[in-house]
C-alpha cells in the first residue's frame, strides 16, 4: 500500500480497519444498487489534480501526501463515480462516499419527481375527459 502516489488500494494488503471501513461505507449504496451493480474503490494519483482549481493553491509536492479515492458504481454499461481527496485515507473515503450518495440521491429525487409529474398529468387528463 505504501507505493508512490498510492496508485491503488489492494484490499488484501490494507489493514483490517481500512478494509472494514471501506465495506461499511459501501453498505450505504445498497438502496441505489441491484445484484448486478459493480462497485469499485480506486486510489488515484493525487498529483494529477495540480491543474484542478480546488487544489491549485496546494504545492504539487504536498499533493503526494494526499489520498485521492474514487468510488464508482457500474451497471449495464453506465458508470457513476465520485472522488474524495484528503491527507487521511478515512476522510478521503468518506468524502467520496458522501459525494456519490448525494449524486445518487439527486438522481433518485429527479426520477421520482418526474414519475409523480407523469402520474399527475395522467390523472388530470383522465379527470378532464370525463363527461358529466
Amino acid at each position: 500500500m505504501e507505493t508512490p502516489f498510492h496508485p491503488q488500494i489492494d484490499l488484501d494488503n490494507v489493514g483490517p480497519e481500512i478494509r472494514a471501513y471501506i465495506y461499511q461505507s459501501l453498505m450505504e449504496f445498497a438502496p441505489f444498487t441491484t445484484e448486478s451493480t459493480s462497485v469499485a474503490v480506486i486510489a488515484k494519483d493525487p498529483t494529477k489534480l495540480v491543474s484542478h482549481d480546488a487544489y491549485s493553491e496546494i504545492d504539487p509536492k504536498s499533493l503526494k501526501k494526499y489520498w485521492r479515492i474514487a468510488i464508482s458504481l457500474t451497471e449495464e454499461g453506465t458508470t457513476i463515480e465520485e472522488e474524495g481527496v484528503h491527507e487521511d485515507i478515512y476522510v478521503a473515503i468518506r468524502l467520496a462516499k458522501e459525494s456519490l450518495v448525494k449524486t445518487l440521491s439527486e438522481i433518485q429525487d429527479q426520477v421520482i419527481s418526474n414519475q409523480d409529474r407523469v402520474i399527475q398529468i395522467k390523472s388530470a387528463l383522465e379527470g378532464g375527459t370525463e363527461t358529466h
Side-chain angles (χ1 to χ4, degrees):
M1 187 164 107
E2 291 302 319
T3 56
F5 312 120
H6 316 291
Q8 63 183 345
I9 294 178
D10 180 353
L11 291 179
D12 294 329
N13 294 322
V14 296
E17 299 86 13
I18 294 173
R19 189 176 322 145
Y21 186 74
I22 290 170
Y23 287 126
Q24 177 186 2
S25 296
L26 297 180
M27 298 308 263
E28 292 192 39
F29 297 115
F32 305 103
T33 62
T34 67
E35 292 177 7
S36 61
T37 304
S38 297
V39 181
V41 179
I42 305 158
K44 295 184 173 184
D45 183 351
T47 61
K48 302 270 186 193
L49 296 172
V50 169
S51 61
H52 193 280
D53 290 341
Y55 304 97
S56 61
E57 294 183 16
I58 299 174
D59 175 34
K61 291 180 183 177
S62 295
L63 277 173
K64 291 179 185 178
K65 299 176 187 175
Y66 283 69
W67 286 93
R68 179 180 173 200
I69 304 296
I71 300 176
S72 66
L73 301 177
T74 303
E75 186 166 344
E76 297 180 9
T78 301
T79 300
I80 296 176
E81 178 179 288
E82 293 291 341
E83 295 183 0
V85 179
H86 198 272
E87 290 179 85
D88 182 325
I89 188 170
Y90 293 99
V91 175
I93 293 166
R94 179 178 52 81
L95 292 171
K97 176 200 69 170
E98 288 174 352
S99 183
L100 187 53
V101 166
K102 180 181 177 197
T103 298
L104 292 168
S105 293
E106 290 171 353
I107 291 169
Q108 186 179 44
D109 289 346
Q110 185 176 6
V111 168
I112 290 171
S113 236
N114 287 340
Q115 288 174 344
D116 287 344
R117 269 189 243 126
V118 168
I119 290 169
Q120 289 173 350
I121 290 169
K122 283 184 179 181
S123 176
L125 289 173
E126 288 171 1
T129 60
E130 290 181 13
T131 56
H132 296 270

